[in-house]
């Protein structure tokens, strides 16, 4: 009996507890309904639904207030306006290269308000970059260029989305990287990269803004504009259309070898940004031809006029990429079947001389000491008073040179006549055919000096076992082996 009563008491307690929970849930429901009613009343006013009003307000003022102030000076230009600014904010632009071209181009694209800016570069910042690569700072030496550049760009404009691709562009990666962008900028400095960038851009239907600069000159061209599939003759020409064959590998000169004036490459980078802004902000009217015929713009800092324009032909009928006879595809690029290094040739020069025709800086210095000790009395040709020819150009020779060296630029040597037409006028008396003094040739890196030695021998100066050799590694090796204080430039 007691057990049944206990069971009944337990059930009554559970019922009471459940009823209390139910009452609590009813109170919570009532509170929630009141809150929902209050929230609804806040969104409804005399003018109608306030939430809809806020949406309409955003449609009326699509930019943030700070953006109107930031971009106002360019939006009041008739070619831009608010529609152009909105196109800029929606655009996605990729720059391949964060150096002399990429830095000013990215700087002005970010300043203009391009919504997404990607940068591809696997190099790190060096001191020698700073005179022209204006986004980098001294404290960022050793940092990835893309990280250094984006750091500066964020300080300039925090609104865009910046994407860093910390890699050297490869055929396997290029299509996947390009896919997410609208326009590509070629800011590189070697032919293999230029062909890869152009091929990938054409096959993915991306306009390409390409520029280059060296010494005091630069060039700019907008390619694949308008972008059309391969075989469509109304599309703009590609890089292969303009340059069907790459230049000889031994004729390609980099900024490190040929030099560059900072504002020259800066001018070309700024022009790349300008052409990109024009592409983005010009309304698309689906015409088959661009308003302007394709052209290459040439800039020369010391010429008058500064700019010249060369009209370009349309797509080549037999182009390997953009014609109906195309042999280059995305598959051949990604698989490596299209070998750009092989197509453009090796950038490294082969050794033109035998080991017996080359001496190290240490060996040259030792021969100098032996010559001083013997005072020219030995019959060994290598012990006689040597002649040192420096084949760098006059500007480099003026930066630093070895005592008693003779400056004969390699360009002068290559332009000289052969011995059958008489000896060239630049030959100093000490290296005439009748002299037996050994000849040493030096240059910056040990490449031009080999060419010069071969030329001297072709002129007949190596007769009678006369010793002619180059200093292997040039002044870079001289700095490493002999004089660490030798200027590095």
């Amino acid at each position: 009996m007691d057990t049944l009563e206990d069971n009944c008491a337990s059930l009554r307690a559970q019922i009471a507890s459940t009823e209390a929970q139910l009452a609590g849930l009813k109170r919570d429901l009532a509170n929630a309904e009141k809150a929902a009613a209050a929230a609804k009343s806040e969104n409804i006013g005399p003018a109608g639904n306030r939430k809809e009003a806020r949406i309409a307000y955003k449609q009326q003022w699509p930019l943030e207030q700070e953006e109107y102030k930031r971009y106002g000076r360019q939006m009041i230009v008739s070619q831009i306006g608010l529609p152009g600014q909105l196109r800029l904010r929606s655009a996605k632009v990729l720059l391949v290269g964060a150096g002399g071209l990429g830095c000013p181009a990215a700087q002005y694209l970010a300043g203009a308000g391009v919504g997404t800016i990607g940068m591809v570069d696997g190099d790190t910042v060096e001191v020698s970059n700073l005179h022209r690569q204006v986004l980098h700072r001294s404290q960022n030496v050793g940092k990835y260029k893309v990280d250094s550049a984006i750091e500066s760009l964020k300080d300039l404009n925090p609104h865009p989305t910046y994407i860093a691709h910390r890699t050297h562009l490869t055929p396997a990666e290029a299509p996947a990287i390009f896919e997410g962008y609208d326009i590509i900028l070629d800011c590189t400095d070697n032919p293999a990269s230029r062909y890869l960038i152009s091929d990938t851009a054409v096959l993915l239907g991306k306009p390409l803004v390409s520029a280059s600069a060296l010494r005091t000159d630069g060039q700019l061209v907008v390619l694949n504009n308008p972008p059309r599939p391969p075989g469509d003759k109304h599309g703009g020409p590609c890089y292969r259309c303009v340059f069907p064959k790459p230049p000889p590998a031994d004729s390609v000169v980099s900024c490190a070898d040929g030099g560059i004036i900072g504002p020259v490459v800066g001018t070309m980078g700024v022009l790349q940004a300008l052409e990109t802004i024009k592409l983005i902000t010009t309304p698309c009217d689906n015409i088959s031809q661009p308003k302007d015929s394709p052209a290459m713009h040439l800039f020369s800092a010391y010429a008058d006029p500064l700019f010249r324009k060369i009209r370009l032909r349309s797509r080549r009928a037999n182009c390997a990429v953009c014609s109906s006879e195309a042999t280059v595809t995305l598959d051949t690029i990604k698989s490596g079947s299209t070998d750009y290094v092989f197509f453009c040739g090796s950038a490294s020069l082969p050794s033109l001389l035998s080991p017996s025709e080359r001496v190290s800086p240490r060996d040259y210095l030792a021969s100098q000491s032996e010559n001083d000790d013997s005072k020219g009395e030995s019959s060994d040709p290598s012990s006689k008073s040597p002649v040192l020819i420096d084949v760098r150009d006059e500007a480099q020779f003026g930066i630093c040179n070895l005592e008693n060296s003779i400056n004969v630029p390699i360009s002068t040597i290559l332009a000289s006549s052969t011995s059958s037409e008489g000896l060239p006028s630049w030959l100093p008396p000490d290296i005439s055919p009748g002299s037996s003094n050994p000849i040493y040739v030096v240059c910056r890196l040990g490449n031009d000096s080999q060419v010069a030695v071969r030329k001297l021998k072709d002129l007949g100066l190596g007769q009678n076992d006369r010793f002619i050799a180059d200093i292997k590694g040039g002044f870079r090796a001289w700095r490493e082996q002999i004089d660490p204080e030798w200027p590095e430039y």
Side-chain angles (χ1 to χ4, degrees), residues 95-433:
L95 298 92
V96 184
L101 293 167
C103 282
Q107 197 166 20
Y108 276 95
L109 291 175
V114 171
T116 301
I117 298 175
M119 301 189 80
V120 182
D121 202 312
D123 288 338
T124 56
V125 179
E126 299 178 1
V127 172
S128 61
N129 303 146
L130 300 179
H131 88 282
R132 67 192 183 281
Q133 299 180 16
V134 293
L135 285 179
H136 307 311
R137 299 293 179 262
S138 296
Q139 64 267 25
N140 284 346
V141 170
K143 181 182 290 188
Y144 273 111
K145 285 186 177 180
V146 290
D147 293 334
S148 173
I150 289 174
E151 179 182 309
S152 295
L153 294 174
K154 287 181 177 178
D155 287 340
L156 172 66
N157 190 353
H159 292 288
T161 298
Y162 301 102
I163 303 174
H165 301 275
R166 304 173 188 87
T167 181
H168 295 290
L169 191 70
T170 65
E173 297 175 326
I177 293 176
F178 284 22
E179 187 67 48
Y181 296 92
D182 305 317
I183 299 176
I184 312 299
L185 273 68
D186 182 353
C187 305
T188 62
D189 62 357
N190 67 86
S193 295
R194 293 189 180 281
Y195 283 101
L196 167 61
I197 292 167
S198 175
D199 292 353
T200 307
V202 169
L203 294 172
L204 291 175
K206 316 287 184 182
L208 172 63
V209 183
S210 178
S212 64
L214 182 67
R215 299 188 179 100
T216 62
D217 303 318
Q219 64 182 35
L220 170 79
V221 62
V222 180
L223 301 167
N224 196 38
N225 179 42
R228 294 289 183 267
D232 189 334
K233 64 180 180 180
H234 297 301
C238 70
Y239 194 78
R240 287 182 187 265
C241 294
V242 181
F243 302 104
K245 296 181 180 180
D250 57 1
S251 70
V252 177
V253 181
S254 67
C255 290
D257 293 329
I260 183 69
I261 296 179
V264 172
V265 69
T267 296
M268 305 319 297
V270 170
L271 289 175
Q272 280 186 282
L274 176 60
E275 291 298 326
T276 302
I277 291 171
K278 287 165 60 179
L279 287 173
I280 295 171
T281 57
T282 301
C284 179
D285 52 9
N286 294 319
I287 59 174
S288 60
Q289 293 288 347
K291 295 180 181 179
D292 298 326
S293 299
M296 177 178 292
H297 301 274
L298 304 178
F299 172 77
S300 184
Y302 288 85
D304 185 14
L306 294 174
F307 288 94
R308 291 183 296 124
K309 180 179 178 180
I310 299 176
R311 300 178 71 90
L312 300 177
R313 296 180 179 179
S314 57
R315 288 182 168 181
R316 294 174 62 91
N318 61 346
C319 178
V321 179
C322 64
S323 72
S324 57
E325 303 176 6
T327 57
V328 177
T329 66
L330 288 177
D331 288 337
T332 65
I333 292 176
K334 290 186 287 188
S335 67
S337 299
T338 303
D339 191 330
Y340 292 94
V341 175
F342 177 79
F343 176 66
C344 295
S346 175
S348 59
L349 294 173
S351 178
L352 302 178
L353 305 177
S354 65
S356 63
E357 297 173 298
R358 312 199 72 186
V359 299
S360 69
R362 290 194 183 96
D363 291 338
Y364 169 75
L365 196 61
S367 70
Q368 288 284 77
S369 299
E370 292 174 2
N371 177 73
D372 292 340
D373 294 339
S374 64
K375 297 181 181 180
E377 295 178 359
S378 172
S379 59
D380 184 352
S382 64
S383 68
K384 295 182 179 180
S385 180
V387 177
L388 177 62
I389 300 177
D390 187 330
V391 296
R392 295 174 300 159
D393 61 40
E394 185 177 353
Q396 295 187 55
F397 186 79
I399 294 173
C400 54
N401 59 78
L402 292 175
E403 186 178 3
N404 297 323
S405 59
I406 301 171
N407 183 214
V408 183
I410 185 64
S411 57
T412 301
I413 295 176
L414 294 178
S416 63
S417 59
T418 60
S419 58
S420 61
E421 300 175 356
L423 294 173
S425 59
W426 55 262
L427 274 177
D430 289 343
I431 60 173
S432 62

Side-chain angles (χ1 to χ4, degrees), residues 64-84:
E64 300 294 335
Q65 287 299 315
E66 196 271 345
E67 290 181 288
Y68 282 101
K69 186 175 295 185
R70 179 182 289 267
Y71 308 126
R73 297 297 186 274
Q74 71 184 26
M75 282 196 293
I76 62 178
V77 177
S78 60
Q79 287 87 346
I80 304 294
L82 178 60

